[in-house]
Amino acid sequence: MITLYLRADPSSVSYWEAWQSEPRVVTLHRGAVGEIGLTAAVRVPWWKSAEKVLAAEIAEARADGFGELVQTDHVQVVVQFSMGEDPAADLARVTEAEAVCEEVLGWTGNGQCDGHDIGAGTMTVFNETVLPEVAAGSLVEALLAAGHGEFVVAVRDGEQFRV
């Protein structure tokens, strides 16, 4: 999968994604960062390879001004939970939260989950985002909908975190 971005201004970013979803199908997904956007399936003609169709779609997106973001274009957003009494339940909870974060950030073009850490009485899920305030709102909504009731979401601001 490839994800490309087009930044109109600091608060308005569009995303474009493409991947081979089936042997003869390339899926395209695009929209405004923070929104689910539109998805389309492109059938690969019998005389072409999926790789060539994907390459042509990528070239067209680049011609429209889309490109990669560098690491410094991403801002870390963390979700932190208190640990309970059951380590197995805690691991299941943080793993589920990770999956929710990956799902919501992926389908809204707003970044990706970057793993988790457990220790010192807390469980933390790390996310690299494009529009951090939008991502924080999306993450809160998705985690609450998934039944995760008590957590804190914070955006990295230099060396500090803003809750």
Side-chain angles (χ1 to χ4, degrees):
M1 177 160 76
I2 183 170
T3 304
L4 303 175
Y5 295 92
L6 178 64
R7 189 179 296 271
D9 61 60
S11 64
S12 177
V13 183
S14 297
Y15 65 91
W16 180 97
E17 298 177 314
W19 65 92
Q20 184 177 347
S21 53
E22 296 176 32
R24 308 291 306 161
V25 177
V26 170
T27 298
L28 306 176
H29 178 227
R30 69 183 300 166
V33 167
E35 298 176 9
I36 291 178
L38 302 172
T39 304
V42 177
R43 290 232 163 258
V44 177
W46 65 269
W47 65 89
K48 285 188 179 179
S49 70
E51 291 80 15
K52 287 192 180 206
V53 170
L54 188 56
E57 293 291 345
I58 293 168
E60 186 176 325
R62 289 186 190 284
D64 289 342
F66 285 85
E68 286 89 356
L69 293 181
V70 294
Q71 185 63 31
T72 56
D73 289 330
H74 290 88
V75 176
Q76 189 177 60
V77 175
V78 299
V79 180
Q80 193 167 70
F81 304 88
S82 293
M83 291 178 69
E85 299 296 319
D86 181 359
D90 287 340
L91 182 58
R93 183 175 183 207
V94 76
T95 301
E96 160 67 16
E98 227 177 340
V100 169
C101 292
E102 185 66 34
E103 180 86 5
V104 71
L105 294 175
W107 281 108
T108 61
N110 204 355
Q112 64 186 18
C113 183
D114 197 27
H116 70 268
D117 183 46
I118 299 175
T122 63
M123 303 176 293
T124 306
V125 177
F126 301 95
N127 303 284
E128 294 298 325
T129 68
V130 179
L131 295 178
E133 282 74 21
V134 173
S138 298
L139 291 170
V140 167
E141 186 177 305
L143 289 164
L144 288 174
H148 295 279
E150 294 185 26
F151 56 88
V152 174
V153 175
V155 175
R156 181 180 287 280
D157 191 2
E159 294 300 315
Q160 303 293 317
F161 281 94
R162 196 169 18 91
V163 176

